Each structure stands twice: as structure tokens, then as C-alpha cells.
Amino acid sequence: MKLERFELERIQSEWEHVVKYNLSESGVEPMRVIELLGNQSQRSLLDNKLGYPQTNGSIALRQLISQQYAGATADNITVTNGGAEANFVATWRCIQEYKERNELIIQLPNYMQIWGIGKAFGARVKPFWLRNNGSAWVPDIEELKNSISKKTCLVAICNPNNPTGAIMGLDQLKAIAEIAEDVGAWVLSDEVYQGAELDGKTTPSMFDFYDKVLVTNSLSKAYGLPGLRVGWIASPSKDVIFDLWAHTDYTSIAPSMLSDTLAIVALKQKNRERIIKRTRTILRNNWSVVEHWLRNNGELFECIAPKGGAICLAKYSREIDSVELVYRLIREKSVLLAPGDHFLMPQHIRIGYGHNEQHLVKGLESVVELLIPTSV
Ligand SMILES: Cc1ncc(COP(=O)(O)O)c(C=O)c1O
């Protein structure tokens, strides 16, 4: 097993707490514990015994999560440490369970976790692209049809998409489900940006369209709670969920007790609505800053407006490698962006706009300062 470097996570891990202006984050400004608790007594949190919680997440937490999926109960959910563990165990299980099916098809561009894990576990990994048609990012359904076969164990999508912020609608999701069903493949639908839509319309979940789906999600992005490290897998198949729980015995055993407790607070209906509203307000406000900046710098950037997530993928006109550009920005301007090459998108940068507005303005100004001089 050869694990290739997860370049995006490495560069963020190394620099996000070092630079002055971090525009590499894909979620919104994290909430403070006190903001999450609101008027609720802090006593119940402090009274918590720091033992092991129920290892697949408390029943109360799984019940709250299950309310987001039509017909689901707590048994359709297993709680994980972030969407990262959810993606890991889901991919691992599919590859090891269906040995006669050694191929994964992954929507690109994408967060490259499943791509890396798939290769490390020896699967053949094939792309299925979202294509820029000049006004939108559109999934190449024909490419998926041509690539899929009885050898495919998993089709992995990310909706809303990281890094483009594109959202696939009902028809596109149904088309993907039908193509997967034709060959009996599973779909892994990473929905961590669900709830973070600029127009306020919740992205439909693949859970509603296909029996053989593993939906992964977390509180990290749309809820602004990445430090809780709470994620989950939801599937119509309770047996598979039970089996995935057994996989987490080998990875992290359980979520943390405090995180389980705080996640219950976050997902109670009133709080959930308040949190999602906060996220969408930040997104709309900060996107107008980026939009204005893009308009003022039309000779440098082309960008399709995102529909979800606190991210957009901009193509730049200067002849400079995206990784080199990002390292120059770190060194010369103390700004961190995500290089397009870390999503297999050369000549692009991913801009995270969900954090502090003043930092966003300063960071964006610095990017232009570096790109404008003809020395680049
Ligand atoms: C598409 C996607 N899935 C999963 C993750 C992992 O998120 P977490 O483990 O914080 O929930 C990320 C993080 O950026 C992501 O962008």
C-alpha cells in the first residue's frame, strides 16, 4: 500500500495557522462554544463524564441526524470523526468487499481524499469531470456512462462540489443513480457542503434516489463546527451501516464525548436553523466582496459564481504554476490559497471566502499586488 501525499491537506496543515490571511478554508468562520450553546445552560456540558460515548454515536445524536433523510432512523446512521473518517471507511469497505470490482470512478475536480485512498488500496481510479461550459460547471454524464462497467465498485461524487461550489440538481443526481444501478455499483455522495447554499435552497441528498448509496456528511462546513470532528455516514442499508461501524473499531473507536454532546445541541431543530442561517448570511455577504474583486480584476481572473460552499475556483491569466503562485503568496504576502493543481486543475486557484471579511479583503488585495507586476 503506497499512500500518495494528500497535497491539499499538507499545505493547509503546514500554513493555515502561520499566515496572516488564510483564504484556504472551505467552510465558514467557526462558531465559539458559547455561541453554539446560546441561552442553554452550560451545566449539562460541564457535567459530562468524559467516558467513551456509544461508539457509533449516541442514539440521540443519530436520531437527530436521521431526521435529515426521508424514512431513516438512528440505525441508518453511523457517526464518525469528521467527513474524513466517513469517506475513509466507506471507500475502504467498498474496495475490500467487492474484490471482483476493482474500479472507482470519481467526479473531478474534487477533494482528493477518495482519489488517494482508492489508489492506496490498489483500485483503478478513473475520472468523471465536471466541465466548465462558460457559464456553469456541468457533470459529463456521457463520460460516466462510457467509463462505468461491472468492474466499478463505487462512483464518488461531491455535491455541492469542492472546489467549484457547483451544485448538481435532481435530474443530474437521478441520472448518476441510474447509471450506477445499471451495473450494480455503489455511490458515495459526499455532501459536507449541504446547507451552505448561497440561494438558501438545500441541496437534495442522493439518499433519496438510490438504495446503494453511502452519504457522507459532517458538521465541519455548513455548520462552522470543524473542531468538533463530527461526521457521519447515512445509508438506506442498515446492514451496511452496521458493517461500517465495525470498520471504525479499527480507526478511531468513537467520537469524543464532548463532541457528541455539542453535536446534539447543534442539530436540535431551532439551533440547526439558526446555524444554517448564520452560514448562509456569511456566504452571501462575503461572496459579494469576492464578486466585486473579480469584476475589478477581469483581466486576471475568470470564475463561475459558486452556488454552495465557501469556495470558488478561479482561472488566472498569468503564466505561473499554481503551486508556485501559492508558495510565493505565502512567502511574499502571508496569504494562503489552495492551488488548483491540488484538484488536478492547473492555472486555477481556490479561494475560500467564508472567514473574516477584513482578512478576505486584505488577502484578495495582496493576491492582485503579487500578480499585477509584470515580473510574474
Ligand atoms: C468534500 C470534503 N469532504 C470531506 C472533508 C473532510 O471534512 P471533515 O473531516 O472536517 O468533516 C472535506 C474537507 O475539506 C471536504 O472538502
Side-chain angles (χ1 to χ4, degrees), residues 141-173:
I141 297 288
E142 283 309 307
E143 185 180 27
L144 177 60
K145 274 189 197 154
N146 293 334
S147 301
I148 206 163
S149 74
K150 295 249 187 243
K151 287 197 196 145
T152 309
C153 68
L154 192 68
V155 177
I157 59 172
C158 177
N159 195 45
N161 176 257
N162 178 3
T164 60
I167 296 182
M168 294 187 288
L170 292 180
D171 291 348
Q172 291 164 331
L173 293 178

Side-chain angles (χ1 to χ4, degrees), residues 9 26 82-84 87 111 158 162 190 192-193 218 220-221 229:
E9 285 300 336
S26 61
N87 283 337
Y111 181 65
C158 177
N162 178 3
D190 183 333
V192 292
Y193 298 96
S218 80
S220 300
K221 312 295 179 184
R229 310 304 305 130

Side-chain angles (χ1 to χ4, degrees), residues 49-283:
K49 271 196 185 168
L50 296 176
Y52 288 104
Q54 169 75 22
T55 64
N56 56 340
S58 63
I59 294 177
L61 176 55
R62 284 182 291 121
Q63 272 170 347
L64 283 166
I65 296 170
S66 71
Q67 287 169 11
Q68 297 177 38
Y69 305 99
T73 69
D75 292 339
N76 293 98
I77 310 293
T78 194
V79 173
T80 57
N81 281 265
E85 188 183 28
N87 283 337
F88 182 83
V89 292
T91 309
W92 173 25
R93 182 189 182 275
C94 274
I95 293 173
Q96 149 232 308
E97 187 74 15
Y98 306 103
K99 292 211 168 59
E100 71 292 358
R101 290 174 176 258
N102 188 33
E103 286 184 3
L104 301 187
I105 301 184
I106 301 185
Q107 184 178 50
L108 290 181
N110 208 330
Y111 181 65
M112 299 303 274
Q113 186 194 4
I114 297 170
W115 183 270
I117 299 166
K119 284 188 174 177
F121 281 123
R124 183 162 175 237
V125 181
K126 301 202 278 188
F128 135 58
W129 284 91
L130 272 178
R131 304 212 184 265
N132 177 344
N133 74 1
S135 58
W137 292 96
V138 184
D140 190 337
I141 297 288
E142 283 309 307
E143 185 180 27
L144 177 60
K145 274 189 197 154
N146 293 334
S147 301
I148 206 163
S149 74
K150 295 249 187 243
K151 287 197 196 145
T152 309
C153 68
L154 192 68
V155 177
I157 59 172
C158 177
N159 195 45
N161 176 257
N162 178 3
T164 60
I167 296 182
M168 294 187 288
L170 292 180
D171 291 348
Q172 291 164 331
L173 293 178
K174 281 182 190 160
I176 293 168
E178 274 169 25
I179 295 167
E181 189 170 25
D182 275 350
V183 297
W186 281 80
V187 171
L188 191 163
S189 184
D190 183 333
E191 300 176 1
V192 292
Y193 298 96
Q194 186 195 47
E197 298 85 3
L198 281 115
D199 68 1
K201 288 189 200 131
T202 304
T203 308
S205 173
M206 196 58 148
F207 191 95
D208 295 337
F209 305 117
Y210 192 36
D211 287 343
K212 292 176 86 171
V213 68
L214 302 168
V215 170
T216 58
N217 204 332
S218 80
L219 297 183
S220 300
K221 312 295 179 184
Y223 297 80
L225 298 168
L228 287 186
R229 310 304 305 130
V230 168
W232 61 87
I233 310 171
S235 176
S237 167
K238 292 180 181 172
D239 290 344
V240 170
I241 286 295
F242 190 78
D243 196 28
L244 286 164
W245 173 18
H247 281 64
T248 61
D249 293 345
Y250 282 96
T251 50
S252 63
I253 305 177
S256 97
M257 185 57 118
L258 280 180
S259 295
D260 191 296
T261 307
L262 287 168
I264 290 172
V265 175
L267 287 169
K268 286 200 171 140
Q269 198 183 337
K270 274 225 157 80
N271 289 338
R272 184 172 183 273
E273 282 168 11
R274 170 171 65 94
I275 294 169
I276 296 292
K277 193 170 165 202
R278 170 190 181 269
T279 296
R280 289 174 175 165
T281 306
I282 295 174
L283 292 183

